[in-house]
Amino acid sequence: MSSILNQFPFTEKKDTRSGFGAALTKLGETNPKVVALTADLAGSLKMNEFAKQFPDRFYQIGIAEANMMGIAAGMTIGGLIPFTGTFANFSTGRVYDQIRQSIAYSQKNVKICASHAGLTLGEDGATHQILEDIGMMRMLPNMTVICPADYNETYAATLAIAEHDGPVYLRFGRPSWPVFMDQTRFPFVLGKANVLVEGSDVTIIATGHMVWKAIEAAEILRERGVHAEVINIHTIKPLDEEAVLASVQKTGCVVTAEEHNMFGGLGEAVARVLSLNYPAPQEFIAVNDTFGESGTPTELLTKYGLDTPQMVAAAETAVRRKTTK
Amino acid sequence: MEINQLQDICNQVRRDIVRMVHGVQSGHPGGSLGCTEFLVSLYFNRLRHRAPIFSMDGLGEDLFFLSNGHISPVFYSVLARSGYFEEAELASFRKINSRLQGHPTTAEHLPGVRIASGSLGQGLSVGIGAALAKKQNGDPYLVYTLHGDGELQEGQIWEAVMYAAANQVDNLIATVDWNGQQIDGSTKEVCDLGNLPAKFQAFGWEVVHVEQGNSVEAILNGLEDCVSKTGQGKPVVLLLNTIMGHGVDFMMGSHAWHGIAPNDEQLASALAQNPETLEDY
């Protein structure tokens, strides 16, 4: 076993949505203000245990996401903390105006919890594989945007956002994924990036499922003599600009990695920070402004350029650009 | 409060509306005037609220949500005349750095406003959420909402109508300003609403229909009827036939005054028809 992967041992794979479901049940026990709403996707969002244990605080809205967002906004007026659960597609694009007016502009304490984001949704195909949601939600004033990397981090993030006063978009997914974010070593603190691997040649800034791919890429790069620093950005907004700048000032170049369109997401958020403060070569691991398609998560990540080998290549390109610019 | 006192307040609110809209040459006088009697009756006679004290959570008081936010002039006037803020602030309507935005918002922290509205169709869902929170909190007070009739063309309204009946949200009274007019013409021409009482009944709502929607007395009776129907497993809708532009003869009954401001001459005529009863701001 090699050195970097050894630092992130994992014995199991779990879906991030299950981290959300488990934490929601925990919140049911610890915070009587927390209520849960779903639009006919309680099973997919792993909310059934909450519904079973706290039936009086669980609201089945039916297939009516716009109504769900409005109801959630109204519930905050009585001091409740509503967590809405549906697919990322139906949590954002379908209800953008409801979120914009009734939640973000109205400054309502609603937690928009969104599963099945990105390509790794898999076989359902492009209608459900939203790749624009981070961009849409980032653009809303007052909105916090979080995309955790694994089960543990999703669990911790779900608990944390209940304590945060204000609207939050929490993005997670469907596939089984390595569970590697040890919360004692890398605790989830809203708005604080976690440097997982230290390096001096290139910074890889990743979010969500791409964080594990970044660790794999760093391993391969190390074998080739390139020392990559890996940063897990779970909070995309507000972005931990200090962490980004501190790392890139050290390494001189950056690769951003996200399961999202190359427009509007983490990559552009990082590019803005760098262009204002410390211009540096940047490569983007993201979907090339296209819709997805049906396939397995692995097939899709490979076909759309989001797998480990492409991340390694992007890092090598970024390093080259430091000297050829 | 006596009916003649309420009518006096209505006169003053109508003056406020046309002066506000004239003052900035912008805003929506038609629907505002048509809902004057309703909002005055609600705020000064029926709503159990703690004006001038305002708390966002609204625990232990009735709540009102304006879903058709473009009739903000009447809402602001009634809030000010209820004591939520100084009447003088009405002069800042739609102007830069004002708390009285074109459409109501919580962003400027204007007392009396609990949700932003303007993009139509969202207020019924918000009202349902607030009503569910009241049930969750063991708070026996009621939630009122107001909607334009054209607003019922929005699909979200019917999501909310279906949900409220299916889930016995019976601490909610939604009112529809049924004036038959919208921006592009009559509702019949634009997209006919059909038989509204039958539609709400079919969805499982209690329906109260007031045909004299600009009569304070008829409105009070209708509201009393609505309140008596709460707490019995069904949401309640008050269908209120109003006249757009009511109280200003040249604005009455026409969609033309949905969203335009009177000129100086028209303002003088409107004010002459509505004598000052309280003090002008």
Side-chain angles (χ1 to χ4, degrees):
Chain A
M1 279 281 273
S2 46
S3 57
I4 291 176
L5 285 174
N6 272 344
Q7 295 168 36
F8 298 92
F10 73 90
T11 53
E12 58 177 342
K13 291 185 175 185
K14 283 184 180 177
D15 46 359
T16 48
R17 59 180 164 157
S18 289
F20 163 71
L24 186 66
T25 303
K26 181 72 180 172
L27 285 171
E29 295 163 10
T30 58
N31 191 335
K33 289 182 174 175
V34 168
V35 294
L37 297 78
T38 190
D40 199 29
L41 285 172
S44 295
L45 270 284
K46 306 294 179 187
M47 298 166 87
N48 283 338
E49 190 57 30
F50 181 98
K52 194 173 132 197
Q53 291 193 29
F54 312 100
D56 296 342
R57 288 152 61 194
F58 176 75
Y59 295 86
Q60 174 57 265
I61 306 296
I63 309 171
E65 294 83 5
N67 189 38
M68 177 165 74
M69 292 305 168
I71 288 176
M75 285 173 157
T76 66
I77 292 167
L80 302 182
I81 306 173
F83 281 62
T84 67
T86 182
F87 290 167
N89 188 18
F90 312 141
S91 296
T92 56
R94 189 178 181 89
V95 290
Y96 198 60
D97 188 46
Q98 284 76 20
I99 294 174
R100 181 176 180 273
Q101 175 172 285
S102 292
I103 296 175
Y105 183 43
S106 291
Q107 298 159 306
K108 297 306 183 202
N109 192 24
V110 176
K111 314 305 170 187
I112 302 163
C113 303
S115 185
H116 293 53
L119 290 172
T120 53
L121 156 67
E123 292 80 356
D124 276 349
T127 53
H128 289 50
Q129 288 162 343
I130 196 158
L131 297 168
E132 309 87 39
D133 56 326
I134 293 173
M136 282 190 277
M137 302 311 270
R138 263 184 73 221
M139 281 196 295
L140 289 173
N142 299 331
M143 186 63 71
T144 294
V145 179
I146 299 172
C147 180
D150 74 345
Y151 176 98
N152 291 343
E153 195 166 80
T154 308
Y155 185 96
T158 304
L159 297 183
I161 62 177
E163 303 296 320
H164 170 81
D165 187 22
V168 174
Y169 178 62
L170 180 65
R171 179 201 218 225
F172 43 91
R174 177 170 181 266
S176 281
W177 211 252
V179 180
F180 63 96
M181 284 299 295
D182 180 346
Q183 289 299 300
T184 53
R185 281 173 68 205
F186 301 107
F188 177 91
V189 179
L190 202 151
K192 288 301 275 185
N194 275 320
V195 179
L196 304 186
V197 179
E198 293 195 7
S200 52
D201 297 327
V202 57
T203 301
I204 304 178
I205 299 177
T207 192
H209 293 132
M210 291 296 102
V211 176
W212 178 253
K213 295 289 177 190
I215 290 170
E216 289 184 336
E219 176 72 28
I220 294 168
L221 287 163
R222 178 74 59 90
E223 288 164 5
R224 299 184 186 184
V226 176
H227 293 260
E229 181 144 299
V230 176
I231 299 181
N232 172 1
I233 293 275
H234 47 67
T235 307
I236 297 172
K237 185 186 175 185
L239 187 66
D240 188 345
E241 300 188 1
E242 269 180 44
V244 169
L245 284 171
S247 180
V248 178
Q249 280 167 356
K250 180 172 63 171
T251 64
C253 67
V254 62
V255 174
T256 51
E258 60 197 308
E259 204 183 337
H260 191 268
N261 195 326
M262 62 185 188
F263 297 134
L266 172 68
E268 290 194 345
V270 169
R272 181 177 188 281
V273 174
L274 294 179
S275 68
L276 285 171
N277 300 285
Y278 190 79
Q282 177 175 357
E283 294 292 316
F284 296 78
I285 293 292
V287 176
N288 186 22
D289 194 27
T290 184
F291 292 101
E293 67 179 90
S294 294
T296 67
T298 303
E299 288 168 343
L300 289 162
L301 291 179
T302 300
K303 177 166 178 176
Y304 288 85
L306 273 65
D307 212 345
T308 310
Q310 288 112 333
M311 209 180 295
V312 169
E316 289 176 335
T317 303
V319 170
R320 253 195 326 272
R321 284 177 58 202
K322 281 198 284 188
T323 51
T324 58
K325 65 180 172 181
Chain B
M1 196 175 278
E2 296 296 319
I3 285 174
N4 62 342
Q5 289 174 289
L6 293 170
Q7 282 163 340
D8 281 350
I9 298 171
C10 287
N11 270 335
Q12 188 62 50
V13 167
R14 274 195 288 269
R15 289 179 70 86
D16 290 348
I17 292 166
V18 290
R19 292 182 68 230
M20 288 163 75
V21 174
H22 173 266
V24 66
Q25 284 296 297
S26 161
H28 296 79
S32 293
L33 291 165
C35 287
T36 297
E37 290 83 359
F38 172 71
L39 274 182
V40 168
S41 302
L42 182 66
Y43 268 80
F44 288 88
N45 201 289
R46 179 50 70 176
L47 203 69
R48 297 164 294 180
H49 60 133
R50 288 192 293 259
I53 298 164
F54 175 70
S55 77
M56 179 57 81
D57 281 350
L59 297 171
E61 59 184 328
D62 292 338
L63 303 181
F64 170 76
F65 295 99
L66 181 71
S67 189
N68 48 335
H70 58 277
I71 68 164
S72 55
V74 65
F75 188 34
Y76 293 147
S77 169
V78 167
L79 289 179
R81 298 289 171 185
S82 298
Y84 281 106
F85 54 89
E86 295 290 324
E87 287 94 343
E89 197 171 343
L90 294 174
S92 73
F93 174 61
R94 282 185 172 240
K95 292 177 179 165
I96 193 76
N97 299 326
S98 173
R99 298 198 294 180
L100 279 60
Q101 290 292 295
H103 296 82
T105 175
T106 56
E108 308 298 334
H109 307 289
L110 185 70
V113 181
R114 290 191 171 87
I115 195 82
S117 60
S119 176
L120 294 171
Q122 301 186 26
L124 187 55
S125 303
V126 173
I128 290 168
L132 292 172
K134 287 216 174 288
K135 286 176 180 263
Q136 195 68 251
N137 291 326
D139 179 349
Y141 286 78
L142 298 174
V143 174
Y144 293 83
T145 59
L146 177 60
H147 311 267
D149 52 358
E151 185 183 4
L152 303 188
Q153 290 157 0
E154 291 281 6
Q156 187 182 347
I157 289 285
W158 299 100
E159 294 182 6
V161 168
M162 189 185 297
Y163 179 90
N167 292 277
Q168 294 92 45
V169 185
D170 59 2
N171 52 346
L172 173 72
I173 299 171
T175 297
V176 177
D177 175 23
W178 196 3
N179 62 22
Q181 305 292 332
Q182 57 191 112
I183 300 180
D184 275 354
S186 71
T187 52
K188 225 174 193 40
E189 290 163 348
V190 175
C191 185
D192 197 351
L193 302 171
N195 188 336
L196 276 189
K199 283 181 179 172
F200 276 97
Q201 272 155 8
F203 271 90
W205 283 55
E206 285 285 354
V207 177
V208 175
H209 187 181
V210 170
E211 294 184 5
Q212 302 296 319
N214 294 106
S215 154
V216 167
E217 195 172 0
I219 291 166
L220 290 177
N221 289 337
L223 281 171
E224 192 176 341
D225 197 7
C226 288
V227 171
S228 74
K229 287 177 162 53
T230 58
Q232 295 173 30
K234 288 183 171 186
V236 182
V237 65
L238 173 61
L239 300 174
L240 201 63
N241 290 127
T242 68
I243 298 167
M244 185 177 265
H246 185 258
V248 176
D249 55 8
F250 59 89
M251 291 187 182
M252 280 171 69
S254 166
H255 67 89
W257 287 92
H258 171 90
I260 60 167
N263 60 27
D264 293 349
E265 199 178 319
Q266 290 161 333
L267 173 69
S269 166
L271 293 178
Q273 296 169 48
N274 293 281
E276 188 174 353
T277 49
L278 310 172
E279 274 180 42
D280 280 343
Y281 65 81

